[in-house]
Every structure is written in C-alpha cells, then in structure tokens.
Amino acid sequence: MLGSGLLCAGLVLTGCSSGSGSDRPELKVDGAFMPQPVSDMAAAFLTVSNTGGADKLTSVTSTLSDDVTIHESKDQRMRKVSGFDIPAKGRLDLERGGNHIMLMGLKKQPKDGERISLRLHFEKSDPIKVELPVKPPTYNPAKH
Ligand code: CU
C-alpha cells in the first residue's frame, strides 16, 4: 500500500484539510448479483472492500423498486437494519444466508441473464452505482 498520506497531499481541495486523509474510505464493489426473483421480492448480494478508513452502508436505491432495505439474517430470520459497518481496511460481505439487500414490490421481475442497477449510499463516500447480473434462483458463488 503506497502511503495514503502522499495521495492526500494532492487532494487538499476535496476534503483532506483535517489532516486525517488516511481516514478516507476507499471503497470497491465486486461480486454483485441478484438471484432471479420468484415473486415480487428480490435479494441482492455483493462485497464492498475498503482499502481506506471506516465507512458505513446506509441505504440502497434502485429503479426496480421503491422499497429497498438492508437486512441482516440471524437465527433464520431477517431483520431490517439502519446500516452495515464497513471496517477500515476490511470488507462488508452481503451473501446468501447472511446480510443482504432486499427489494420489495418489484416493478418488473428481471430474468436470468438480464442486468439491474443499484445505487449504494454511504455515510462518508459518494454513492456507488452497481450493475448486477441476474443469476439463476439457486446461484451461490463460493467467495472465500
Ligand atoms: Cu431480507
């Protein structure tokens, strides 16, 4: 990792003035997919990796649904949460059986092979637009 202090020196105008430039999150999204929905509800999964300071996923929006929430799964039940922490130099995994993005009241049901888009909103970072491929309903990649 080349020093983020150096990088920060060039970014003074974009908010590194506090001298805590190394706290700036550096997020990257990959492995995103949506299993083909079998009703008017869908789930979406992805990984956010972070090479910078801590951030938080606070909400998700989509043109596919006006009701997108983020859920955690515990003891076979899911529960809406207000955000997911993205640790500094760590990652947030949304994966089957665990934390996920939930879309209710789909305006249309996308099919295997189509793509949908989501916009991820964070506490600190600018929103990230993600294109997700729609996969077969039982698709479950091994991530680790
Ligand atoms: Cu859910």
Side-chain angles (χ1 to χ4, degrees), residues 16-55:
C16 274
S17 54
S18 67
S20 58
S22 58
D23 291 333
R24 195 181 180 79
E26 294 287 344
L27 306 180
K28 187 165 141 315
V29 176
D30 50 25
F33 70 98
M34 170 181 282
Q36 180 179 312
V38 294
S39 67
D40 70 343
M41 269 167 46
F45 305 95
L46 50 83
T47 296
V48 182
S49 44
N50 183 8
T51 53
D55 204 344

PDB file of all heavy atoms in Angstrom, residues 16-55:
ATOM      1  N   CYS A  16      -9.360  16.922   2.415  1.00  0.00           N
ATOM      2  CA  CYS A  16      -8.352  16.298   3.255  1.00  0.00           C
ATOM      3  C   CYS A  16      -7.805  17.282   4.264  1.00  0.00           C
ATOM      4  O   CYS A  16      -6.792  17.049   4.874  1.00  0.00           O
ATOM      5  CB  CYS A  16      -7.199  15.747   2.413  1.00  0.00           C
ATOM      6  SG  CYS A  16      -7.536  14.102   1.817  1.00  0.00           S
ATOM      7  N   SER A  17      -8.457  18.398   4.458  1.00  0.00           N
ATOM      8  CA  SER A  17      -7.889  19.502   5.215  1.00  0.00           C
ATOM      9  C   SER A  17      -7.699  19.175   6.694  1.00  0.00           C
ATOM     10  O   SER A  17      -6.895  19.781   7.363  1.00  0.00           O
ATOM     11  CB  SER A  17      -8.758  20.740   5.075  1.00  0.00           C
ATOM     12  OG  SER A  17     -10.078  20.425   5.428  1.00  0.00           O
ATOM     13  N   SER A  18      -8.451  18.231   7.211  1.00  0.00           N
ATOM     14  CA  SER A  18      -8.342  17.929   8.626  1.00  0.00           C
ATOM     15  C   SER A  18      -7.035  17.219   8.953  1.00  0.00           C
ATOM     16  O   SER A  18      -6.718  17.037  10.115  1.00  0.00           O
ATOM     17  CB  SER A  18      -9.510  17.058   9.060  1.00  0.00           C
ATOM     18  OG  SER A  18      -9.410  15.796   8.449  1.00  0.00           O
ATOM     19  N   GLY A  19      -6.314  16.802   7.954  1.00  0.00           N
ATOM     20  CA  GLY A  19      -5.072  16.095   8.203  1.00  0.00           C
ATOM     21  C   GLY A  19      -5.313  14.622   8.472  1.00  0.00           C
ATOM     22  O   GLY A  19      -4.405  13.856   8.722  1.00  0.00           O
ATOM     23  N   SER A  20      -6.564  14.216   8.419  1.00  0.00           N
ATOM     24  CA  SER A  20      -6.886  12.813   8.648  1.00  0.00           C
ATOM     25  C   SER A  20      -7.180  12.132   7.322  1.00  0.00           C
ATOM     26  O   SER A  20      -8.100  11.338   7.204  1.00  0.00           O
ATOM     27  CB  SER A  20      -8.078  12.683   9.585  1.00  0.00           C
ATOM     28  OG  SER A  20      -9.192  13.349   9.041  1.00  0.00           O
ATOM     29  N   GLY A  21      -6.426  12.486   6.324  1.00  0.00           N
ATOM     30  CA  GLY A  21      -6.663  11.960   4.986  1.00  0.00           C
ATOM     31  C   GLY A  21      -6.624  10.450   4.927  1.00  0.00           C
ATOM     32  O   GLY A  21      -7.308   9.837   4.128  1.00  0.00           O
ATOM     33  N   SER A  22      -5.846   9.848   5.802  1.00  0.00           N
ATOM     34  CA  SER A  22      -5.750   8.398   5.762  1.00  0.00           C
ATOM     35  C   SER A  22      -7.036   7.747   6.270  1.00  0.00           C
ATOM     36  O   SER A  22      -7.220   6.556   6.170  1.00  0.00           O
ATOM     37  CB  SER A  22      -4.561   7.932   6.591  1.00  0.00           C
ATOM     38  OG  SER A  22      -4.706   8.395   7.902  1.00  0.00           O
ATOM     39  N   ASP A  23      -7.950   8.540   6.824  1.00  0.00           N
ATOM     40  CA  ASP A  23      -9.227   8.001   7.282  1.00  0.00           C
ATOM     41  C   ASP A  23     -10.265   7.937   6.175  1.00  0.00           C
ATOM     42  O   ASP A  23     -11.379   7.468   6.380  1.00  0.00           O
ATOM     43  CB  ASP A  23      -9.802   8.863   8.407  1.00  0.00           C
ATOM     44  CG  ASP A  23      -8.993   8.743   9.681  1.00  0.00           C
ATOM     45  OD1 ASP A  23      -8.359   7.694   9.864  1.00  0.00           O
ATOM     46  OD2 ASP A  23      -8.982   9.699  10.454  1.00  0.00           O
ATOM     47  N   ARG A  24      -9.913   8.440   5.036  1.00  0.00           N
ATOM     48  CA  ARG A  24     -10.860   8.483   3.930  1.00  0.00           C
ATOM     49  C   ARG A  24     -11.121   7.080   3.404  1.00  0.00           C
ATOM     50  O   ARG A  24     -10.191   6.358   3.073  1.00  0.00           O
ATOM     51  CB  ARG A  24     -10.198   9.330   2.837  1.00  0.00           C
ATOM     52  CG  ARG A  24     -11.105   9.800   1.764  1.00  0.00           C
ATOM     53  CD  ARG A  24     -10.267  10.600   0.756  1.00  0.00           C
ATOM     54  NE  ARG A  24     -11.121  11.077  -0.304  1.00  0.00           N
ATOM     55  CZ  ARG A  24     -11.902  12.140  -0.167  1.00  0.00           C
ATOM     56  NH1 ARG A  24     -11.907  12.804   0.970  1.00  0.00           N
ATOM     57  NH2 ARG A  24     -12.667  12.502  -1.158  1.00  0.00           N
ATOM     58  N   PRO A  25     -12.398   6.670   3.345  1.00  0.00           N
ATOM     59  CA  PRO A  25     -12.680   5.321   2.841  1.00  0.00           C
ATOM     60  C   PRO A  25     -12.345   5.215   1.351  1.00  0.00           C
ATOM     61  O   PRO A  25     -12.466   6.198   0.628  1.00  0.00           O
ATOM     62  CB  PRO A  25     -14.193   5.165   3.053  1.00  0.00           C
ATOM     63  CG  PRO A  25     -14.637   6.335   3.856  1.00  0.00           C
ATOM     64  CD  PRO A  25     -13.607   7.407   3.707  1.00  0.00           C
ATOM     65  N   GLU A  26     -11.896   4.070   0.949  1.00  0.00           N
ATOM     66  CA  GLU A  26     -11.641   3.791  -0.468  1.00  0.00           C
ATOM     67  C   GLU A  26     -12.390   2.505  -0.782  1.00  0.00           C
ATOM     68  O   GLU A  26     -11.911   1.412  -0.506  1.00  0.00           O
ATOM     69  CB  GLU A  26     -10.137   3.604  -0.727  1.00  0.00           C
ATOM     70  CG  GLU A  26      -9.310   4.845  -0.511  1.00  0.00           C
ATOM     71  CD  GLU A  26      -9.501   5.882  -1.610  1.00  0.00           C
ATOM     72  OE1 GLU A  26     -10.034   5.523  -2.692  1.00  0.00           O
ATOM     73  OE2 GLU A  26      -9.127   7.042  -1.388  1.00  0.00           O
ATOM     74  N   LEU A  27     -13.579   2.656  -1.334  1.00  0.00           N
ATOM     75  CA  LEU A  27     -14.462   1.508  -1.485  1.00  0.00           C
ATOM     76  C   LEU A  27     -14.459   0.954  -2.899  1.00  0.00           C
ATOM     77  O   LEU A  27     -14.327   1.690  -3.874  1.00  0.00           O
ATOM     78  CB  LEU A  27     -15.901   1.902  -1.123  1.00  0.00           C
ATOM     79  CG  LEU A  27     -16.091   2.540   0.256  1.00  0.00           C
ATOM     80  CD1 LEU A  27     -17.562   2.864   0.475  1.00  0.00           C
ATOM     81  CD2 LEU A  27     -15.557   1.651   1.353  1.00  0.00           C
ATOM     82  N   LYS A  28     -14.623  -0.351  -2.983  1.00  0.00           N
ATOM     83  CA  LYS A  28     -14.732  -1.020  -4.272  1.00  0.00           C
ATOM     84  C   LYS A  28     -15.782  -2.132  -4.112  1.00  0.00           C
ATOM     85  O   LYS A  28     -15.776  -2.849  -3.116  1.00  0.00           O
ATOM     86  CB  LYS A  28     -13.377  -1.616  -4.640  1.00  0.00           C
ATOM     87  CG  LYS A  28     -13.287  -2.193  -6.017  1.00  0.00           C
ATOM     88  CD  LYS A  28     -11.808  -2.375  -6.334  1.00  0.00           C
ATOM     89  CE  LYS A  28     -11.456  -3.628  -7.093  1.00  0.00           C
ATOM     90  NZ  LYS A  28     -12.019  -4.891  -6.725  1.00  0.00           N
ATOM     91  N   VAL A  29     -16.653  -2.215  -5.079  1.00  0.00           N
ATOM     92  CA  VAL A  29     -17.725  -3.208  -5.007  1.00  0.00           C
ATOM     93  C   VAL A  29     -17.449  -4.303  -6.025  1.00  0.00           C
ATOM     94  O   VAL A  29     -17.130  -4.012  -7.175  1.00  0.00           O
ATOM     95  CB  VAL A  29     -19.093  -2.556  -5.325  1.00  0.00           C
ATOM     96  CG1 VAL A  29     -20.195  -3.606  -5.349  1.00  0.00           C
ATOM     97  CG2 VAL A  29     -19.401  -1.465  -4.318  1.00  0.00           C
ATOM     98  N   ASP A  30     -17.542  -5.555  -5.607  1.00  0.00           N
ATOM     99  CA  ASP A  30     -17.472  -6.626  -6.605  1.00  0.00           C
ATOM    100  C   ASP A  30     -18.301  -7.831  -6.188  1.00  0.00           C
ATOM    101  O   ASP A  30     -18.884  -7.872  -5.108  1.00  0.00           O
ATOM    102  CB  ASP A  30     -16.030  -7.004  -6.962  1.00  0.00           C
ATOM    103  CG  ASP A  30     -15.174  -7.263  -5.757  1.00  0.00           C
ATOM    104  OD1 ASP A  30     -15.733  -7.620  -4.703  1.00  0.00           O
ATOM    105  OD2 ASP A  30     -13.959  -7.099  -5.854  1.00  0.00           O
ATOM    106  N   GLY A  31     -18.375  -8.777  -7.102  1.00  0.00           N
ATOM    107  CA  GLY A  31     -19.124  -9.998  -6.843  1.00  0.00           C
ATOM    108  C   GLY A  31     -20.627  -9.776  -6.730  1.00  0.00           C
ATOM    109  O   GLY A  31     -21.333 -10.591  -6.129  1.00  0.00           O
ATOM    110  N   ALA A  32     -21.131  -8.687  -7.278  1.00  0.00           N
ATOM    111  CA  ALA A  32     -22.554  -8.380  -7.112  1.00  0.00           C
ATOM    112  C   ALA A  32     -23.419  -9.273  -7.997  1.00  0.00           C
ATOM    113  O   ALA A  32     -23.064  -9.553  -9.136  1.00  0.00           O
ATOM    114  CB  ALA A  32     -22.813  -6.915  -7.449  1.00  0.00           C
ATOM    115  N   PHE A  33     -24.539  -9.738  -7.467  1.00  0.00           N
ATOM    116  CA  PHE A  33     -25.515 -10.462  -8.276  1.00  0.00           C
ATOM    117  C   PHE A  33     -26.879 -10.450  -7.616  1.00  0.00           C
ATOM    118  O   PHE A  33     -26.997 -10.191  -6.421  1.00  0.00           O
ATOM    119  CB  PHE A  33     -25.084 -11.914  -8.536  1.00  0.00           C
ATOM    120  CG  PHE A  33     -25.134 -12.800  -7.308  1.00  0.00           C
ATOM    121  CD1 PHE A  33     -26.228 -13.622  -7.078  1.00  0.00           C
ATOM    122  CD2 PHE A  33     -24.089 -12.804  -6.402  1.00  0.00           C
ATOM    123  CE1 PHE A  33     -26.288 -14.444  -5.945  1.00  0.00           C
ATOM    124  CE2 PHE A  33     -24.137 -13.617  -5.270  1.00  0.00           C
ATOM    125  CZ  PHE A  33     -25.232 -14.441  -5.048  1.00  0.00           C
ATOM    126  N   MET A  34     -27.890 -10.729  -8.401  1.00  0.00           N
ATOM    127  CA  MET A  34     -29.240 -10.912  -7.894  1.00  0.00           C
ATOM    128  C   MET A  34     -29.746 -12.259  -8.385  1.00  0.00           C
ATOM    129  O   MET A  34     -29.775 -12.501  -9.586  1.00  0.00           O
ATOM    130  CB  MET A  34     -30.160  -9.811  -8.424  1.00  0.00           C
ATOM    131  CG  MET A  34     -31.638 -10.091  -8.126  1.00  0.00           C
ATOM    132  SD  MET A  34     -32.734  -8.813  -8.780  1.00  0.00           S
ATOM    133  CE  MET A  34     -32.495  -7.556  -7.532  1.00  0.00           C
ATOM    134  N   PRO A  35     -30.138 -13.160  -7.467  1.00  0.00           N
ATOM    135  CA  PRO A  35     -30.771 -14.398  -7.920  1.00  0.00           C
ATOM    136  C   PRO A  35     -32.106 -14.037  -8.576  1.00  0.00           C
ATOM    137  O   PRO A  35     -32.806 -13.161  -8.072  1.00  0.00           O
ATOM    138  CB  PRO A  35     -30.996 -15.185  -6.632  1.00  0.00           C
ATOM    139  CG  PRO A  35     -30.190 -14.497  -5.573  1.00  0.00           C
ATOM    140  CD  PRO A  35     -30.041 -13.077  -5.999  1.00  0.00           C
ATOM    141  N   GLN A  36     -32.426 -14.713  -9.655  1.00  0.00           N
ATOM    142  CA  GLN A  36     -33.683 -14.411 -10.347  1.00  0.00           C
ATOM    143  C   GLN A  36     -34.844 -14.500  -9.366  1.00  0.00           C
ATOM    144  O   GLN A  36     -35.047 -15.530  -8.732  1.00  0.00           O
ATOM    145  CB  GLN A  36     -33.891 -15.387 -11.496  1.00  0.00           C
ATOM    146  CG  GLN A  36     -35.177 -15.115 -12.261  1.00  0.00           C
ATOM    147  CD  GLN A  36     -35.355 -16.078 -13.416  1.00  0.00           C
ATOM    148  OE1 GLN A  36     -34.451 -16.308 -14.191  1.00  0.00           O
ATOM    149  NE2 GLN A  36     -36.532 -16.665 -13.515  1.00  0.00           N
ATOM    150  N   PRO A  37     -35.611 -13.418  -9.218  1.00  0.00           N
ATOM    151  CA  PRO A  37     -36.701 -13.438  -8.245  1.00  0.00           C
ATOM    152  C   PRO A  37     -37.829 -14.368  -8.662  1.00  0.00           C
ATOM    153  O   PRO A  37     -38.110 -14.515  -9.851  1.00  0.00           O
ATOM    154  CB  PRO A  37     -37.173 -11.981  -8.190  1.00  0.00           C
ATOM    155  CG  PRO A  37     -36.616 -11.314  -9.388  1.00  0.00           C
ATOM    156  CD  PRO A  37     -35.454 -12.115  -9.868  1.00  0.00           C
ATOM    157  N   VAL A  38     -38.456 -15.003  -7.683  1.00  0.00           N
ATOM    158  CA  VAL A  38     -39.566 -15.912  -7.957  1.00  0.00           C
ATOM    159  C   VAL A  38     -40.891 -15.305  -7.500  1.00  0.00           C
ATOM    160  O   VAL A  38     -41.921 -15.946  -7.546  1.00  0.00           O
ATOM    161  CB  VAL A  38     -39.342 -17.282  -7.274  1.00  0.00           C
ATOM    162  CG1 VAL A  38     -38.147 -17.986  -7.887  1.00  0.00           C
ATOM    163  CG2 VAL A  38     -39.127 -17.113  -5.778  1.00  0.00           C
ATOM    164  N   SER A  39     -40.840 -14.063  -7.037  1.00  0.00           N
ATOM    165  CA  SER A  39     -42.060 -13.353  -6.636  1.00  0.00           C
ATOM    166  C   SER A  39     -41.781 -11.874  -6.879  1.00  0.00           C
ATOM    167  O   SER A  39     -40.863 -11.539  -7.624  1.00  0.00           O
ATOM    168  CB  SER A  39     -42.367 -13.624  -5.170  1.00  0.00           C
ATOM    169  OG  SER A  39     -41.373 -13.025  -4.359  1.00  0.00           O
ATOM    170  N   ASP A  40     -42.535 -10.999  -6.231  1.00  0.00           N
ATOM    171  CA  ASP A  40     -42.234  -9.573  -6.424  1.00  0.00           C
ATOM    172  C   ASP A  40     -41.215  -9.059  -5.408  1.00  0.00           C
ATOM    173  O   ASP A  40     -41.086  -7.882  -5.178  1.00  0.00           O
ATOM    174  CB  ASP A  40     -43.519  -8.741  -6.391  1.00  0.00           C
ATOM    175  CG  ASP A  40     -44.122  -8.699  -4.983  1.00  0.00           C
ATOM    176  OD1 ASP A  40     -43.742  -9.553  -4.146  1.00  0.00           O
ATOM    177  OD2 ASP A  40     -44.946  -7.820  -4.736  1.00  0.00           O
ATOM    178  N   MET A  41     -40.491 -10.012  -4.802  1.00  0.00           N
ATOM    179  CA  MET A  41     -39.412  -9.673  -3.892  1.00  0.00           C
ATOM    180  C   MET A  41     -38.108 -10.204  -4.442  1.00  0.00           C
ATOM    181  O   MET A  41     -38.088 -11.261  -5.055  1.00  0.00           O
ATOM    182  CB  MET A  41     -39.626 -10.393  -2.558  1.00  0.00           C
ATOM    183  CG  MET A  41     -40.404  -9.639  -1.542  1.00  0.00           C
ATOM    184  SD  MET A  41     -40.903 -10.746  -0.191  1.00  0.00           S
ATOM    185  CE  MET A  41     -39.415 -11.637   0.165  1.00  0.00           C
ATOM    186  N   ALA A  42     -37.026  -9.496  -4.198  1.00  0.00           N
ATOM    187  CA  ALA A  42     -35.721  -9.987  -4.634  1.00  0.00           C
ATOM    188  C   ALA A  42     -34.677  -9.641  -3.593  1.00  0.00           C
ATOM    189  O   ALA A  42     -34.853  -8.707  -2.810  1.00  0.00           O
ATOM    190  CB  ALA A  42     -35.353  -9.379  -5.977  1.00  0.00           C
ATOM    191  N   ALA A  43     -33.610 -10.405  -3.615  1.00  0.00           N
ATOM    192  CA  ALA A  43     -32.464 -10.106  -2.757  1.00  0.00           C
ATOM    193  C   ALA A  43     -31.265  -9.832  -3.645  1.00  0.00           C
ATOM    194  O   ALA A  43     -31.195 -10.310  -4.776  1.00  0.00           O
ATOM    195  CB  ALA A  43     -32.165 -11.278  -1.825  1.00  0.00           C
ATOM    196  N   ALA A  44     -30.342  -9.059  -3.144  1.00  0.00           N
ATOM    197  CA  ALA A  44     -29.120  -8.795  -3.894  1.00  0.00           C
ATOM    198  C   ALA A  44     -27.933  -8.948  -2.957  1.00  0.00           C
ATOM    199  O   ALA A  44     -28.034  -8.677  -1.759  1.00  0.00           O
ATOM    200  CB  ALA A  44     -29.154  -7.387  -4.486  1.00  0.00           C
ATOM    201  N   PHE A  45     -26.836  -9.421  -3.541  1.00  0.00           N
ATOM    202  CA  PHE A  45     -25.643  -9.735  -2.759  1.00  0.00           C
ATOM    203  C   PHE A  45     -24.428  -9.107  -3.414  1.00  0.00           C
ATOM    204  O   PHE A  45     -24.340  -9.038  -4.646  1.00  0.00           O
ATOM    205  CB  PHE A  45     -25.450 -11.251  -2.673  1.00  0.00           C
ATOM    206  CG  PHE A  45     -26.662 -11.963  -2.138  1.00  0.00           C
ATOM    207  CD1 PHE A  45     -27.599 -12.512  -2.990  1.00  0.00           C
ATOM    208  CD2 PHE A  45     -26.869 -12.051  -0.771  1.00  0.00           C
ATOM    209  CE1 PHE A  45     -28.725 -13.162  -2.499  1.00  0.00           C
ATOM    210  CE2 PHE A  45     -27.998 -12.697  -0.260  1.00  0.00           C
ATOM    211  CZ  PHE A  45     -28.921 -13.251  -1.124  1.00  0.00           C
ATOM    212  N   LEU A  46     -23.486  -8.699  -2.610  1.00  0.00           N
ATOM    213  CA  LEU A  46     -22.252  -8.112  -3.135  1.00  0.00           C
ATOM    214  C   LEU A  46     -21.238  -7.982  -2.011  1.00  0.00           C
ATOM    215  O   LEU A  46     -21.554  -8.188  -0.840  1.00  0.00           O
ATOM    216  CB  LEU A  46     -22.534  -6.742  -3.778  1.00  0.00           C
ATOM    217  CG  LEU A  46     -23.352  -5.721  -2.965  1.00  0.00           C
ATOM    218  CD1 LEU A  46     -22.480  -4.963  -1.997  1.00  0.00           C
ATOM    219  CD2 LEU A  46     -24.038  -4.748  -3.912  1.00  0.00           C
ATOM    220  N   THR A  47     -20.035  -7.633  -2.402  1.00  0.00           N
ATOM    221  CA  THR A  47     -18.976  -7.387  -1.431  1.00  0.00           C
ATOM    222  C   THR A  47     -18.455  -5.964  -1.616  1.00  0.00           C
ATOM    223  O   THR A  47     -18.235  -5.542  -2.750  1.00  0.00           O
ATOM    224  CB  THR A  47     -17.812  -8.376  -1.647  1.00  0.00           C
ATOM    225  OG1 THR A  47     -18.298  -9.699  -1.402  1.00  0.00           O
ATOM    226  CG2 THR A  47     -16.660  -8.093  -0.697  1.00  0.00           C
ATOM    227  N   VAL A  48     -18.325  -5.256  -0.515  1.00  0.00           N
ATOM    228  CA  VAL A  48     -17.682  -3.946  -0.567  1.00  0.00           C
ATOM    229  C   VAL A  48     -16.332  -4.094   0.117  1.00  0.00           C
ATOM    230  O   VAL A  48     -16.282  -4.451   1.300  1.00  0.00           O
ATOM    231  CB  VAL A  48     -18.504  -2.866   0.173  1.00  0.00           C
ATOM    232  CG1 VAL A  48     -17.828  -1.504   0.049  1.00  0.00           C
ATOM    233  CG2 VAL A  48     -19.930  -2.807  -0.356  1.00  0.00           C
ATOM    234  N   SER A  49     -15.245  -3.880  -0.617  1.00  0.00           N
ATOM    235  CA  SER A  49     -13.949  -3.919   0.044  1.00  0.00           C
ATOM    236  C   SER A  49     -13.440  -2.493   0.200  1.00  0.00           C
ATOM    237  O   SER A  49     -13.730  -1.612  -0.597  1.00  0.00           O
ATOM    238  CB  SER A  49     -12.964  -4.816  -0.705  1.00  0.00           C
ATOM    239  OG  SER A  49     -13.025  -4.579  -2.074  1.00  0.00           O
ATOM    240  N   ASN A  50     -12.683  -2.297   1.251  1.00  0.00           N
ATOM    241  CA  ASN A  50     -12.293  -0.958   1.665  1.00  0.00           C
ATOM    242  C   ASN A  50     -10.804  -0.938   1.969  1.00  0.00           C
ATOM    243  O   ASN A  50     -10.336  -1.642   2.852  1.00  0.00           O
ATOM    244  CB  ASN A  50     -13.100  -0.593   2.923  1.00  0.00           C
ATOM    245  CG  ASN A  50     -12.829   0.807   3.406  1.00  0.00           C
ATOM    246  OD1 ASN A  50     -12.150   1.580   2.742  1.00  0.00           O
ATOM    247  ND2 ASN A  50     -13.365   1.132   4.565  1.00  0.00           N
ATOM    248  N   THR A  51     -10.060  -0.132   1.224  1.00  0.00           N
ATOM    249  CA  THR A  51      -8.624  -0.022   1.493  1.00  0.00           C
ATOM    250  C   THR A  51      -8.312   1.232   2.306  1.00  0.00           C
ATOM    251  O   THR A  51      -7.150   1.555   2.534  1.00  0.00           O
ATOM    252  CB  THR A  51      -7.822  -0.005   0.175  1.00  0.00           C
ATOM    253  OG1 THR A  51      -8.353   1.026  -0.668  1.00  0.00           O
ATOM    254  CG2 THR A  51      -7.930  -1.334  -0.548  1.00  0.00           C
ATOM    255  N   GLY A  52      -9.349   1.957   2.720  1.00  0.00           N
ATOM    256  CA  GLY A  52      -9.129   3.184   3.488  1.00  0.00           C
ATOM    257  C   GLY A  52      -9.760   3.114   4.859  1.00  0.00           C
ATOM    258  O   GLY A  52      -9.821   2.065   5.478  1.00  0.00           O
ATOM    259  N   GLY A  53     -10.270   4.252   5.314  1.00  0.00           N
ATOM    260  CA  GLY A  53     -10.862   4.353   6.642  1.00  0.00           C
ATOM    261  C   GLY A  53     -12.284   3.814   6.678  1.00  0.00           C
ATOM    262  O   GLY A  53     -12.909   3.608   5.636  1.00  0.00           O
ATOM    263  N   ALA A  54     -12.813   3.637   7.868  1.00  0.00           N
ATOM    264  CA  ALA A  54     -14.130   3.034   8.050  1.00  0.00           C
ATOM    265  C   ALA A  54     -15.239   3.861   7.416  1.00  0.00           C
ATOM    266  O   ALA A  54     -15.170   5.089   7.366  1.00  0.00           O
ATOM    267  CB  ALA A  54     -14.403   2.864   9.540  1.00  0.00           C
ATOM    268  N   ASP A  55     -16.242   3.175   6.924  1.00  0.00           N
ATOM    269  CA  ASP A  55     -17.419   3.828   6.368  1.00  0.00           C
ATOM    270  C   ASP A  55     -18.619   2.968   6.750  1.00  0.00           C
ATOM    271  O   ASP A  55     -18.486   1.986   7.505  1.00  0.00           O
ATOM    272  CB  ASP A  55     -17.291   3.964   4.853  1.00  0.00           C
ATOM    273  CG  ASP A  55     -18.147   5.111   4.304  1.00  0.00           C
ATOM    274  OD1 ASP A  55     -19.043   5.583   5.013  1.00  0.00           O
ATOM    275  OD2 ASP A  55     -17.920   5.517   3.150  1.00  0.00           O
TER     276      ASP A  55
END
